[in-house]
Amino acid sequence: MTDKQGQEQEQVQASPSGVWATAVGVAKVRARETAREDALFRDPLAQAFATAGGLWPSSPPLPDDEPARRRRSAVAFSIVIRTKFLDDLLRQAADSGIRQVVLLGAGMDSRAFRMEWPEGTRMFEVDTSAPLDFKASVLRQERAVARCERIPVAVDLREDWPAALAAAGHDLTVPTVWIAEGLLIYLPEDAVDLLLARIGAQSVPGSRMGLTLGSRGVIERFGADAAPGSAASMWVSEMPDNPVGWLAEHGWDADSRTLRECAAAYGRPIDTPPQREERPGGLISAVRR
Ligand SMILES: C[S@@+](CC[C@H](N)C(=O)[O-])C[C@H]1O[C@@H](n2cnc3c(N)ncnc32)[C@H](O)[C@@H]1O
């Protein structure tokens, strides 16, 4: 390949589009959080992902677009809180002895690089090839070095991803901690159920799982007048009324937290009172029975 062709290829990889563009938007939020003195986590690669995706430095909000600005900042807040929630869940899983991690819809998740991992930890990052290629080009540029064994698995989660994961070396005989962060809201409900069934089939007892679910009503509140191509315009599924019961049917002992509960616990309380009856939360931790 000539240098020019190589540059063109990097250019193509730096053009997020469709659902995976949302992963770069998430990186932008994490870059902003990283810049705070009281950051709940630090993600030193996030700014590089956002920059390569054309989202950094970000443009100032339009002055007459207050409702959209409020919605964006609510989504950004939820991303920060869920990131901390899942960081803690992963640390607890590692402390419990789990050495196998699978990130479903990994996007620009940089936990392999930014967190400490016990020796022997293997992390599988499952996503489609376009975001994984984009990510690889930024990681090369940043000379990033993973702190565990990191194994990207390029496959569409609507296809036979368990076979792809097995081919990449996922070991069915030892516990796994599964993360589906900011993913399920993009999958129709039958696809979410299928995904859960497949995760269960690959999880020995003691495996763990961290999920984020779209809260009830979020699609109507955020998605209805969302700009075409924006993350909210692609949201299609919300959490069931009883997420803990739903997960029990799938063979998991689960606990659900609201954003409000977690935000308060992390020292970022939500000051406004709830506008509607508080429902079960969409931040889920679960253990395989
Ligand atoms: C909002 S991003 C979240 C990324 C990452 N989990 C995080 O929180 O940083 C959603 C991710 O899910 C991935 N995704 C959505 N549908 C998918 C599918 N059918 N197969 C594989 N990945 C998918 C997208 O490519 C994208 O990277």
Coordinates of all heavy atoms in Angstrom, one line a residue, residues 61-62 64-78 221-222 272 275:
P61 N -23.0 25.0 22.2 CA -24.4 24.7 22.0 C -25.2 25.9 21.4 O -24.8 27.1 21.6 CB -25.0 24.4 23.4 CG -24.0 25.0 24.3 CD -22.7 25.1 23.6
L62 N -26.2 25.7 20.6 CA -26.9 26.8 20.0 C -27.7 27.4 21.1 O -28.4 26.8 21.9 CB -27.9 26.2 18.9 CG -27.2 25.5 17.7 CD1 -28.3 24.8 16.9 CD2 -26.4 26.5 17.0
D64 N -30.5 29.1 21.2 CA -32.0 28.9 21.2 C -32.5 27.5 21.3 O -33.6 27.2 21.1 CB -32.6 29.6 20.0 CG -32.1 29.0 18.7 OD1 -31.2 28.2 18.8 OD2 -32.7 29.2 17.7
D65 N -31.5 26.6 21.7 CA -31.9 25.2 21.6 C -31.8 24.6 23.1 O -31.2 23.6 23.3 CB -30.9 24.4 20.7 CG -31.5 23.1 20.2 OD1 -32.7 22.9 20.5 OD2 -30.8 22.4 19.5
E66 N -32.4 25.3 24.0 CA -32.3 25.0 25.4 C -32.8 23.5 25.7 O -32.1 22.8 26.4 CB -33.0 26.0 26.3 CG -33.0 25.8 27.8 CD -31.5 25.8 28.3 OE1 -30.6 26.3 27.7 OE2 -31.4 25.2 29.4
P67 N -34.0 23.1 25.2 CA -34.4 21.8 25.5 C -33.5 20.7 25.0 O -33.2 19.7 25.8 CB -35.8 21.7 24.8 CG -36.2 23.1 24.6 CD -35.0 23.9 24.4
A68 N -32.9 20.9 23.8 CA -32.0 19.9 23.3 C -30.7 19.9 24.1 O -30.1 18.9 24.4 CB -31.6 20.3 21.8
R69 N -30.3 21.1 24.6 CA -29.1 21.2 25.4 C -29.3 20.5 26.7 O -28.4 19.7 27.2 CB -28.7 22.7 25.7 CG -27.3 22.9 26.2 CD -27.1 24.3 26.8 NE -28.0 24.5 27.9 CZ -27.8 24.0 29.1 NH1 -26.7 23.3 29.4 NH2 -28.6 24.3 30.1
R70 N -30.5 20.6 27.3 CA -30.8 19.9 28.6 C -30.8 18.4 28.4 O -30.3 17.7 29.2 CB -32.2 20.4 29.1 CG -32.1 21.6 30.0 CD -33.2 21.6 31.0 NE -34.5 21.5 30.4 CZ -35.2 22.5 29.9 NH1 -34.8 23.7 30.1 NH2 -36.4 22.3 29.3
R71 N -31.4 18.0 27.2 CA -31.4 16.5 27.0 C -30.0 16.0 26.8 O -29.7 14.9 27.4 CB -32.3 16.2 25.7 CG -33.8 16.3 25.9 CD -34.5 15.6 24.8 NE -34.2 16.2 23.5 CZ -35.0 17.2 23.0 NH1 -36.0 17.7 23.6 NH2 -34.7 17.7 21.8
R72 N -29.2 16.7 26.1 CA -27.8 16.2 25.9 C -27.1 16.1 27.2 O -26.3 15.2 27.4 CB -27.1 17.2 24.9 CG -27.2 16.8 23.4 CD -26.0 17.4 22.6 NE -25.9 18.8 22.8 CZ -26.6 19.7 22.0 NH1 -27.4 19.3 21.1 NH2 -26.4 21.0 22.2
S73 N -27.3 17.2 28.0 CA -26.5 17.1 29.3 C -27.0 16.0 30.2 O -26.3 15.4 31.0 CB -26.4 18.5 30.0 OG -27.5 18.7 30.7
A74 N -28.3 15.7 30.1 CA -28.9 14.6 30.9 C -28.3 13.2 30.4 O -27.9 12.4 31.2 CB -30.4 14.5 30.8
V75 N -28.2 13.1 29.1 CA -27.6 11.8 28.6 C -26.1 11.8 29.0 O -25.6 10.7 29.4 CB -27.7 11.8 27.0 CG1 -26.9 10.6 26.5 CG2 -29.2 11.7 26.6
A76 N -25.4 12.9 28.9 CA -24.0 12.9 29.3 C -23.8 12.5 30.7 O -22.9 11.7 31.1 CB -23.4 14.3 29.0
F77 N -24.7 13.1 31.6 CA -24.6 12.7 33.0 C -24.8 11.2 33.2 O -24.1 10.6 34.0 CB -25.7 13.5 33.7 CG -25.7 13.4 35.2 CD1 -24.7 14.0 36.0 CD2 -26.6 12.6 35.9 CE1 -24.7 13.8 37.4 CE2 -26.6 12.4 37.2 CZ -25.6 13.0 38.0
S78 N -25.8 10.7 32.5 CA -26.0 9.2 32.7 C -24.8 8.4 32.2 O -24.5 7.4 32.8 CB -27.3 8.8 32.0 OG -27.1 8.8 30.6
R221 N -39.5 10.6 25.7 CA -39.1 11.8 26.2 C -37.9 12.4 25.4 O -37.8 13.6 25.1 CB -38.6 11.7 27.7 CG -39.7 11.6 28.7 CD -39.3 12.0 30.1 NE -38.1 11.4 30.6 CZ -38.1 10.1 31.0 NH1 -39.1 9.3 31.0 NH2 -36.9 9.6 31.5
F222 N -37.0 11.5 25.0 CA -35.7 12.0 24.4 C -35.7 11.7 22.9 O -35.1 12.4 22.1 CB -34.5 11.3 25.0 CG -34.2 11.8 26.3 CD1 -35.0 11.6 27.4 CD2 -33.0 12.5 26.5 CE1 -34.7 12.0 28.7 CE2 -32.6 12.9 27.8 CZ -33.5 12.7 28.9
T272 N -32.8 18.1 41.3 CA -34.2 18.3 41.0 C -35.0 17.1 41.5 O -34.5 15.9 41.4 CB -34.4 18.4 39.5 OG1 -33.8 17.3 38.9 CG2 -33.9 19.7 39.0
Q275 N -39.6 13.8 38.5 CA -40.8 14.4 37.8 C -41.9 13.4 37.7 O -43.0 13.7 37.4 CB -40.4 14.9 36.4 CG -39.6 16.2 36.5 CD -39.0 16.6 35.2 OE1 -39.2 15.9 34.2 NE2 -38.3 17.7 35.2

